[in-house]
Amino acid sequence: MRLSVLDLVPVRSDQSTSDALAATTLLAQAADRLGYTRYWIAEHHNMPAVAATSPPVLIAHLAAHTSSLRLGSGGVMLPNHAPLAVAEQFALLEAAHPGRIDLGIGRAPGSDPVTSMALRGPAGRDDRDIEQFPEYLDDVMALMSSKGVRVPLPRDLMRDNYILKATPAAVTEPRLWLLGSSMYSARLAAAKGLPYVFAHHFAGQGTEEALQYYRDNFVPSELTPEPVTFLTVNAVVAETHDEAMRLLLPNLQMMARLRTGQPLVALDLVEDAEALDLGPRAQAVIEAGVRQAVVGSPAEAADQVRDLAEHFGVDEVMVHPVAAAYRGVDPATSPARETTLELLAKELF
């Protein structure tokens, strides 16, 4: 079985952004050393507990500090960006690190409506960008190719067409993946013949239906002749089940705040999370989060990963290591997240 890593670059209450990035660099190096397949960075904006605002910037940094991992986006939220800008960024990353770059693309904004407006700029981009997502996806794929895109021009410009490319002389291209947490993305990935990843760590429901639809309705493409898919899952692994549950709590509370409309804050330390009561609605979210996570001792967690892979018919699982930290831990490190990767690797590799 292949294991990979998803990272949102969490920011704890004891960390600066610099600390969080330093901890993520160490985590990526651990994944590289342990034999994980890929390491993806998500895109989120204006969130106190998430420093992953620019996947291509972080991918460039991590690629320079690792040797064999595939680095990618999980994902770039395409409605936030011009297709050419995304294509240029990832074509350059692929040129700098050939064969190591994945471009995972998503449709969600990754932010609240106010932040989305600020991100898209004063030109007035709106929800039509979401409606045009399939066309934007085609544009990114074509622009990254060595042939580029032929753009028709009016006759008075003295040229019949114009070739637009993301980079002048591409030899290889990033591997393109479509990400999602709904049937929409499953349908689109199947229709376009793209590799597909389901955000099980976030949605927790509809995974089986989406993956089955994708496989049953997949249309082979030059890029992908047969269905290729895996899923993501939150994970905390420690020497004992009780210890893993303690380390998981701050992340569960962060998700509970998000889903019950409570103010968002930096990720709490374990001791602070244990002293917190967010109310019954939040507690229901927390309990649901425990049920859909990989959490426990090394043997327990490995069995849970194997069961997930078997149940959903995948040969790769991307773990999102969400273990928090105790008071007094070096802010530039995330030892419990590294331990999660180390203990899983010992059991599954």
Side-chain angles (χ1 to χ4, degrees), residues 72 76 80 82 99 105 112 137 146 148 163 201 229 245 247 267:
V76 166
N80 293 335
I105 290 181
D112 61 84
L137 191 60
S146 59
I163 303 299
H201 78 284
T229 188
M245 288 293 293
L247 292 163
L267 188 69

Side-chain angles (χ1 to χ4, degrees), residues 17-282:
T17 302
S18 293
D19 292 330
L21 291 174
T24 273
T25 303
L26 292 175
L27 187 67
Q29 290 173 331
D32 197 33
R33 181 178 69 253
L34 292 165
Y36 282 75
T37 299
R38 65 188 92 241
Y39 195 103
W40 283 6
I41 300 294
E43 177 186 338
H44 292 280
H45 301 278
N46 199 36
M47 297 182 70
V50 178
T53 56
S54 179
V57 171
L58 284 170
I59 290 167
H61 170 74
L62 296 177
H65 287 81
T66 55
S67 60
S68 58
L69 276 174
R70 291 192 66 92
L71 280 299
S73 55
V76 166
M77 300 296 105
L78 190 52
N80 293 335
H81 312 284
L84 178 57
V86 174
E88 287 181 332
Q89 291 162 357
F90 280 81
L92 277 179
L93 286 169
E94 175 67 18
H97 306 281
R100 293 186 61 201
I101 302 301
D102 292 330
L103 171 53
I105 290 181
R107 177 171 167 260
S111 61
D112 61 84
V114 174
T115 305
S116 291
M117 289 177 60
L119 185 67
R120 297 178 186 186
R125 298 189 73 192
D126 53 32
D127 287 343
R128 284 174 294 183
D129 295 307
I130 295 177
E131 295 168 5
Q132 293 176 317
F133 177 75
E135 290 77 16
Y136 289 171
L137 191 60
D138 291 339
D139 290 343
V140 171
M141 286 190 284
L143 288 163
M144 289 191 304
S145 71
S146 59
K147 296 179 181 179
V149 176
R150 192 175 297 274
V151 182
L153 295 178
R155 289 186 180 181
D156 58 0
L157 292 181
M158 304 292 292
R159 298 176 67 174
D160 293 333
N161 50 62
Y162 182 89
I163 303 299
L164 188 60
K165 295 183 177 183
T167 194
V171 177
T172 58
E173 300 170 22
R175 184 70 186 275
L176 190 67
W177 298 77
L178 186 60
L179 318 181
S181 57
S182 69
M183 288 302 297
Y184 173 91
S185 53
R187 293 188 185 99
L188 186 60
K192 290 188 177 294
L194 290 173
Y196 176 55
V197 180
F198 191 85
H200 183 75
H201 78 284
F202 180 78
Q205 296 180 344
T207 308
E208 189 166 10
E209 181 185 10
L211 294 182
Q212 192 61 53
Y213 180 94
Y214 169 73
R215 294 186 179 106
D216 290 345
N217 296 275
F218 184 82
V219 178
S221 66
E222 183 178 346
L223 174 71
T224 313
E226 59 186 24
V228 177
T229 188
F230 62 85
L231 54 82
T232 60
V233 63
N234 292 330
V236 177
V237 188
E239 291 297 341
T240 68
H241 182 87
D242 289 346
E243 176 67 6
M245 288 293 293
R246 293 188 72 192
L247 292 163
L248 175 62
L249 182 60
N251 178 266
L252 294 176
Q253 289 180 341
M254 180 182 69
M255 289 304 302
R257 287 178 180 272
L258 179 65
R259 293 182 174 174
T260 59
Q262 299 187 44
L264 301 181
V265 298
L267 188 69
D268 280 328
L269 299 172
V270 172
E271 294 91 341
D272 297 327
E274 290 177 331
L276 190 63
D277 182 359
L278 296 176
R281 287 181 60 225

